[in-house]
Amino acid sequence: MIKRIKAISLLLVYGAAVNAAPAPVTDLNDGSLTKRVEVLERILDSRTEMQHRIQQQLDEMQNEVSEMRGTLELHNHQLEKILERQRELYLEIDKRIAAVNTQSNQQQSSAISSSNNSAQISQVEVPVSTNVSESDAYDRAVNLILRDKQYDLAIPEFQSFIKTYPNSSYAANAHYWLGQLLFNKQQWESAAEQFQILVSGYPDSSKRADALFKLGVVEQRRDNLARAKQLFEQVLSEYPDSASSRLANSRLSAMN
């Protein structure tokens, strides 16, 4: 009996010792934990790559939007030029009609005067003849630009017109066209001279706003940026609703 009790006691002590033994240490470099870390790394890499692709797509979309904006601005600029040219043509037509009416009235006055005094005929006919010659000279110069595209030949034509008819109703337009022709040839100083004559001498001209803007562009091309900015701001101030104002505003935004 005593031997059985001792044997049972030894078994209990051995079992307690076994239960009290520490658990084996898990190897962190193997097993399920390593696999989970690898899965997380793959997920992270996948998300990073996706973010790069999304950012690349966003950059491409932004470039496309910028190109579309540039194209839209170009089309708007071309449309403004077309509309401006239409307004110029309407003004030219109005002036031609006024000139024809003036000529007709002068001819009627001449016919009435001829019944009373033949000497008065010559006095009436002289300005009529001069007016027709003035109109023909201006038409010839303009047609060299619009119809014949002979821009180099148009320059001396306008110079001759301005010299011959300095007080003409077409003088402002002649200075503008001459300035534009010289501007296209990048003769900045000569172009600026013509635009400045128009701006200073013809405050009511329909082309004054564009002449101011072109003066600003000339100064910008000559690296006189402060003067160019001043002229663009003058266009905005004096002609806020004009096509030239919108162009001047674009130039100012690009300069800032």
Side-chain angles (χ1 to χ4, degrees), residues 176 195-196 198-199 207-216 244:
Y176 174 83
F195 290 136
Q196 187 61 57
L198 193 158
V199 169
K207 291 181 170 57
R208 186 174 183 273
D210 195 49
L212 266 175
F213 170 73
K214 290 293 172 54
L215 272 175
S244 300

Side-chain angles (χ1 to χ4, degrees), residues 130-240:
T130 302
N131 185 55
V132 171
S133 177
E134 174 187 334
S135 179
D136 288 343
Y138 182 76
D139 288 345
R140 183 169 59 249
V142 171
N143 286 333
L144 284 172
I145 298 176
L146 303 180
R147 185 186 64 193
D148 302 330
K149 312 300 181 184
Q150 298 290 333
Y151 306 119
D152 288 341
L153 295 179
I155 292 176
E157 285 291 335
F158 279 110
Q159 289 172 336
S160 176
F161 179 86
I162 291 171
K163 182 178 180 180
T164 306
Y165 306 102
N167 299 320
S168 170
S169 59
Y170 303 115
N173 287 1
H175 283 293
Y176 174 83
W177 284 117
L178 180 56
Q180 185 64 49
L181 290 167
L182 296 170
F183 179 91
N184 293 341
K185 292 176 71 67
Q186 298 186 4
Q187 297 181 11
W188 307 128
E189 185 174 354
S190 299
E193 180 181 355
Q194 297 302 318
F195 290 136
Q196 187 61 57
I197 291 173
L198 193 158
V199 169
S200 301
Y202 302 90
D204 298 327
S205 172
S206 61
K207 291 181 170 57
R208 186 174 183 273
D210 195 49
L212 266 175
F213 170 73
K214 290 293 172 54
L215 272 175
V217 175
V218 167
E219 295 302 331
Q220 191 176 20
R221 297 287 177 83
R222 298 165 73 182
D223 292 329
N224 297 329
L225 300 184
R227 176 57 177 162
K229 185 176 181 181
Q230 181 182 6
L231 288 164
F232 292 146
E233 290 174 345
Q234 186 177 353
V235 175
L236 292 175
S237 175
E238 297 184 14
Y239 303 95

Side-chain angles (χ1 to χ4, degrees), residues 72-105:
L72 181 60
E73 290 177 359
L74 177 61
H75 289 168
N76 287 338
H77 174 68
Q78 292 174 342
L79 179 60
E80 289 171 355
K81 287 297 182 183
I82 291 172
L83 294 175
E84 182 66 22
R85 179 56 192 149
Q86 287 180 340
R87 288 191 290 269
E88 291 173 357
L89 290 174
Y90 291 146
L91 291 172
E92 293 297 330
I93 291 172
D94 290 341
K95 288 185 177 181
R96 303 289 174 82
I97 293 174
V100 170
N101 291 336
T102 301
Q103 179 182 352
S104 176
N105 292 335

Side-chain angles (χ1 to χ4, degrees), residues 113-128:
S113 300
S114 64
S115 61
N116 298 322
N117 191 339
S118 59
Q120 294 179 356
I121 296 177
S122 59
Q123 296 176 356
V124 175
E125 287 178 347
V126 170
V128 171

